[in-house]
Amino acid sequence: MTARSARFWTPLLPPEAGASPTGFTPKRYAFLLIPGYSQLGFACAIEALSLANLHPSNQTFYTWRLIGETGDPVPAYNGVTTAVDAALPPLDRNETLVVCAGDNAGDGSTRPVLNWLRRETRKGMDFGALSSGTYTLALAGLLAGKTVTTHWQFRDALTELLPDVIIETSLFSVDGKIFTTAGGAASMDMMLDRVRADYGTDLATWVADQMVYTDPRAATHGQRLSRRASPDMAHGKLGIALQIMENNLEDPLRPDEIAQVIELSTRQLERLFAKHLGMSPKRHYLQLRLEKARGLLRQTSLSVTDICVACGFRSLSHFSKSYRATFGLSPGQEKRGTRAIWPD
């Protein structure tokens, strides 16, 4: 950048800084990479920090280091590996720790990693997680009684296994010093929010513009476009009916009970589902419960019987028959064919 162009930019200072642009210490981050982590979520998070440092004010707003358990390059779920700077080093209390994980978070949440997390977070630093890194923090005993979020695909598994943790469906969540995100592009939303909190709206907006991200989302924004793509599904009586179903998978309601709640006749409810979803309310409800069951079979060590009950089936035979008809294999075959990502 030339001296001429620099005149057009006013140096951005953190809220706590003094008058001099060189009189503050950059915010420091440490990213712990768990094997199988989501590269998209990690890239979105670290790019927000990288781009902030390219601001024409020529200030270094952030520094960071990458950490792995052994010090060897860590593979993402897509096979791409990332070199790290250190193997579970001591952290400074002024660093912000971010756990990055993916489908096999359980396998990567080893005893040395969990012990390291417990020891380092006792220093009082801010810490958080991307995607299923939330589960790693929970395994370390760091989330009891906290409100967190994770990728929607892992939410049911965490809800069943972590009853003392409040799990939201938001893009990201902040509870005191702890922050969590659904991962993927939501990591960008969360980090832009952190940039805004650290240095103000101007810098966060500048970073968003560099990302060509013209509409950063709030924490409360829904995770799934498929739940909002149709206005009729996002709003109105159909949307309410769908939400009732999703909130009552373990103890399903009858179609006539749902119709009564939303002040429709059962016939009107059936016509609404046929028009917008191409199936009956009963069939859609069953599909939701089976999708939850599939996630629990693949992602947890819960028994088939426990999963049957958690998904609102009154008998194993009905559960197995419905599962096989939908997915082409039995619940037991599904469980044996896919390694659980959450350890016992």
Side-chain angles (χ1 to χ4, degrees):
M1 184 178 68
T2 65
R4 177 180 175 82
S5 64
R7 291 187 298 130
F8 293 91
W9 290 95
T10 300
L12 296 171
L13 301 178
E16 70 275 12
S20 171
T22 59
F24 74 93
T25 302
K27 302 287 184 181
R28 299 163 58 191
Y29 275 77
F31 291 87
L32 172 65
L33 303 183
I34 302 293
Y37 67 94
S38 165
Q39 192 174 51
L40 174 60
F42 167 64
C44 284
I46 204 167
E47 275 299 284
L49 307 184
S50 302
L51 287 169
N53 288 346
L54 295 181
H55 188 270
S57 61
N58 278 341
Q59 295 183 81
T60 299
F61 294 101
Y62 295 100
T63 63
W64 56 86
R65 53 177 167 166
L66 307 184
I67 295 169
E69 180 180 358
T70 66
D72 295 328
V74 183
Y77 82 95
N78 59 5
V80 175
T81 59
T82 300
V84 299
D85 301 302
L88 303 183
L91 299 181
D92 188 274
R93 70 181 307 273
N94 292 319
E95 285 183 280
T96 296
L97 172 64
V98 185
V99 179
C100 309
D103 279 358
N104 38 336
D107 287 346
S109 301
T110 62
R111 188 179 300 275
V113 166
L114 298 180
N115 287 339
W116 178 81
L117 285 171
R118 296 183 190 106
R119 181 175 66 251
E120 297 305 317
T121 55
R122 280 199 294 267
K123 297 175 180 177
M125 65 187 62
D126 286 3
F127 63 92
L130 311 182
S131 190
S132 62
T134 301
Y135 185 74
T136 299
L137 292 178
L139 280 179
L142 303 176
L143 299 182
K146 296 296 183 178
T147 298
V148 301
T149 193
T150 189
H151 190 283
W152 62 265
Q153 195 171 19
F154 307 130
R155 183 176 181 273
D156 287 334
L158 265 68
T159 299
E160 292 295 328
L161 297 175
L162 305 172
D164 59 343
V165 177
I166 303 168
I167 303 173
E168 297 183 325
T169 58
S170 55
L171 289 183
F172 60 93
S173 180
V174 180
D175 188 340
K177 288 181 171 291
I178 299 173
F179 56 92
T180 50
T181 178
S187 298
M188 187 159 52
D189 296 287
M190 182 186 73
M191 295 308 293
L192 286 172
D193 188 70
R194 293 188 68 81
V195 172
R196 180 197 56 75
D198 289 340
Y199 297 107
T201 301
D202 286 349
L203 181 59
T205 300
W206 189 88
V207 172
D209 284 345
Q210 301 309 302
M211 291 176 161
V212 197
Y213 194 43
T214 57
D215 191 19
R217 299 167 296 177
T220 54
H221 197 90
Q223 290 188 19
R224 301 180 69 178
L225 178 62
S226 58
R227 291 291 188 260
R228 301 181 296 108
S230 165
D232 294 303
M233 292 179 67
H235 306 287
K237 293 185 181 294
L238 177 59
I240 297 173
L242 292 172
Q243 193 63 55
I244 290 172
M245 289 180 176
E246 292 189 4
N247 291 343
N248 294 275
L249 297 179
E250 186 171 347
D251 190 14
L253 303 175
R254 299 190 311 272
D256 63 293
E257 292 175 316
I258 297 173
Q260 184 177 7
V261 171
I262 63 176
E263 299 180 340
L264 289 178
S265 69
T266 305
R267 182 69 61 85
Q268 288 173 316
L269 182 68
E270 290 173 347
R271 283 200 293 262
L272 200 58
F273 270 76
K275 177 181 177 180
H276 295 288
L277 299 177
M279 64 182 72
S280 69
K282 185 176 180 179
R283 176 61 198 173
H284 181 75
Y285 212 166
L286 177 62
Q287 185 172 302
L288 289 177
R289 292 156 57 206
L290 290 171
E291 287 175 356
K292 176 180 178 179
R294 193 180 200 187
L296 295 178
L297 287 165
R298 290 181 167 187
Q299 299 165 5
T300 76
S301 298
L302 292 173
S303 69
V304 172
T305 300
D306 287 340
I307 292 171
C308 171
V309 173
C311 297
F313 291 92
R314 297 294 178 253
S315 71
L316 276 173
S317 61
H318 180 215
F319 176 42
S320 297
K321 182 178 179 180
S322 300
Y323 197 93
R324 185 184 292 276
T326 301
F327 299 118
L329 71 171
S330 71
Q333 290 171 325
E334 182 79 82
K335 192 167 187 64
R336 288 191 296 271
T338 306
R339 181 178 56 183
I341 66 170
W342 314 121
D344 292 324

